[in-house]
Amino acid sequence: MRYGIHTIDDFTLDGKTVLYRADMNQPVNREEGRLESCSRIRACIPTIRELLDRNAKVVILIHQGSDIEYLNFFTTKPHRDVLEKLLERPVGFPEDVCGPAARDAVRQLQPGEVLLLDNVRFLAQEQTLFENALKLSFEEQASTLLVEKLAPLGDLYVCDAFAAAHRSQPSLCGFELVMPSAMGRLFEKEYCRLSELMESPKRPCTFILGGAKVSDAFGVMEEVLRKKTADRILTGGVTANLLLAAAGISIGEKSREYISTHGYERYYDVSRRLLGTYRDQISLPLDAAWAEDGKRAEGEVKAVPSGAGIFDIGRETAAEYSRMIQSSSTIFINGPMGVFEREEFSLGTRKVWEVLAGTGGETILGGGDSIAAAERFCGVEQFSYVSTGGGALIRFLSGEELPVIQALRYGAELFAGDYAYEDRA
């Protein structure tokens, strides 16, 4: 047990049916019916292999896409194809979630065999709109269709979905109340490593917060500054634009339109409050890049044309941020410096990421865009630790106790002593 949660070391698995909840949510090419990335699937393979090597019957539950972000809402059949290649063994796929075909496939599973169920979010009670609208308690989630149909067929629930730990949905928070539960190796690695880093980061500790998900950035910023976890914050992307505007600097009409269109205007007041309290610890861009006649133009932030929009930090800012990174011992990174997907505005992110890859400090990288930038500019292997979590990582760093962690701890208390420990003697 670690941090009040059972690990798979605590259980005898031989011949047992394990309901394994992972996060293998990946970008999908719908026309070709294939995944655009397999990084999250690869991260789960060590846990699955260990369960199979210990002669368990493994039933994999995952989600793909969401009812809000419909583009990637898709069957998990492409995941089965990837799993078979990585595991080098057949993976059953009944094209069902918890109906008769799925339950029959689980019953027929033999020790050392693995089965993947279809997208759990094909069930209404697993959808994000359902979660946000009804906010079911853990007890109510334990009484939903998925849990009631599958829990009687399993001996142990293993959650490896740290990247979804900020979600309160039945497949994540319901099984713990009706059967013994544990965190998988990936979840254990992420949760314990991040907990240790947050408790005592090596100083100076720098947070890099950029990108377009400003709710995540501002939530983290306020918490880590208040708790003195961060010694300084380096800002980029829309996060920096909001702070610049709050500081009285013109960011251009297109930047203001983007902020207004996305409902981010409420962060102006947050920005002013943060700057009023923590201005010495928050670094804003000194110069910026914008589009001019279809090309990149650069200048001091106060020189941004009134009709333009800021798409990247400038060279002077990139150099200044690089110096700060090189003098840091711990760096948390979430969010690029600008619209790096466009080559003409990739300079800021490229230069900062290349410095991050070569620094001697501990670098913790999280978030899909941050990882994509690393894959493009320097390679994710250059970072000390890469988290599979985006929203979960941000909320964890913000000091929030994530719903799945709460459920796993609650389950450990409910089922204390009601299972067989693995004999490690």
Side-chain angles (χ1 to χ4, degrees), residues 393-423:
L393 173 64
I394 287 294
R395 285 162 178 77
F396 182 84
L397 296 178
S398 299
E400 178 182 331
E401 186 173 37
L402 306 180
V404 175
I405 292 172
Q406 291 178 344
L408 286 167
R409 282 185 176 148
Y410 188 24
E413 294 174 1
L414 286 176
F415 289 91
D418 289 351
Y419 46 82
Y421 279 99
E422 182 72 57
D423 184 2

Side-chain angles (χ1 to χ4, degrees), residues 354-369:
E354 287 175 348
V355 171
L356 285 165
T359 185
E362 180 126 30
T363 49
I364 301 93
L365 182 72
D369 288 341

Side-chain angles (χ1 to χ4, degrees), residues 128-148:
T128 304
L129 288 171
F130 189 99
E131 172 193 3
N132 293 341
L134 296 186
K135 302 185 187 303
L136 298 185
S137 67
F138 294 163
E139 289 78 10
E140 289 170 326
Q141 292 180 50
S143 297
T144 54
L145 179 69
L146 181 71
V147 179
E148 288 192 336

